[in-house]
Amino acid sequence: QVQLVESGGGFVQSGGSLNLTCAVSGRAFSTAGMGWYRQAPGNQRELVAEISSGGTANVADFVKGRFTISRDNAKRTVDLQMHSLKPEDTAVYYCKGVYRTLTGSRAYWGQGTQVTVSL
């Protein structure tokens, strides 16, 4: 069973920084594609950044230049470094892991961590 636990959320002023960490237990982490998503009240969940099992990273245009995703396979963690935060970055941030199965793939989600950015 795969479990994902996010941490590092909190309250920060506009322009500040936060680092989110997703700790993963269970199946072989190094083979999973990982991602960070966010969901603000009234909005759909959206992809913020993703990183492949091989380490190829992509970030959404709306956070490009401000957010960075990285993974540490030895520690089984995925980090989202967030800088120059804006009030519109306020959301619950979720970690997602996608693992290959014999018939396709399976996704696992964490419980989310709240990020609140004030003016």
Side-chain angles (χ1 to χ4, degrees), residues 31-45:
T31 66
M34 302 298 299
W36 283 96
Y37 290 70
R38 71 186 186 186
Q39 187 168 18
N43 291 357
Q44 290 187 334
R45 193 171 296 188

Side-chain angles (χ1 to χ4, degrees), residues 27 99-106:
R27 295 173 57 189
Y99 290 75
R100 292 182 181 178
T101 67
L102 292 176
T103 56
S105 64
R106 179 173 177 178

Side-chain angles (χ1 to χ4, degrees), residues 14-97:
S14 182
S17 299
L18 283 174
N19 186 73
L20 306 183
T21 296
C22 175
V24 183
S25 61
R27 295 173 57 189
F29 171 75
S30 62
T31 66
M34 302 298 299
W36 283 96
Y37 290 70
R38 71 186 186 186
Q39 187 168 18
N43 291 357
Q44 290 187 334
R45 193 171 296 188
E46 59 183 359
L47 174 66
V48 176
E50 58 186 348
I51 186 165
S52 71
S53 58
T56 300
N58 291 293
V59 296
D61 287 343
F62 54 80
V63 299
K64 195 162 289 184
R66 300 189 296 123
F67 291 12
T68 302
I69 187 171
S70 61
R71 66 188 296 160
D72 187 327
N73 288 341
K75 294 182 179 179
R76 303 173 67 91
T77 58
V78 181
D79 282 3
L80 183 69
Q81 296 179 326
M82 307 186 294
H83 300 289
S84 302
L85 283 161
K86 305 175 182 180
E88 52 263 44
D89 294 318
T90 295
V92 178
Y93 284 71
Y94 297 90
C95 180
K96 176 184 178 182

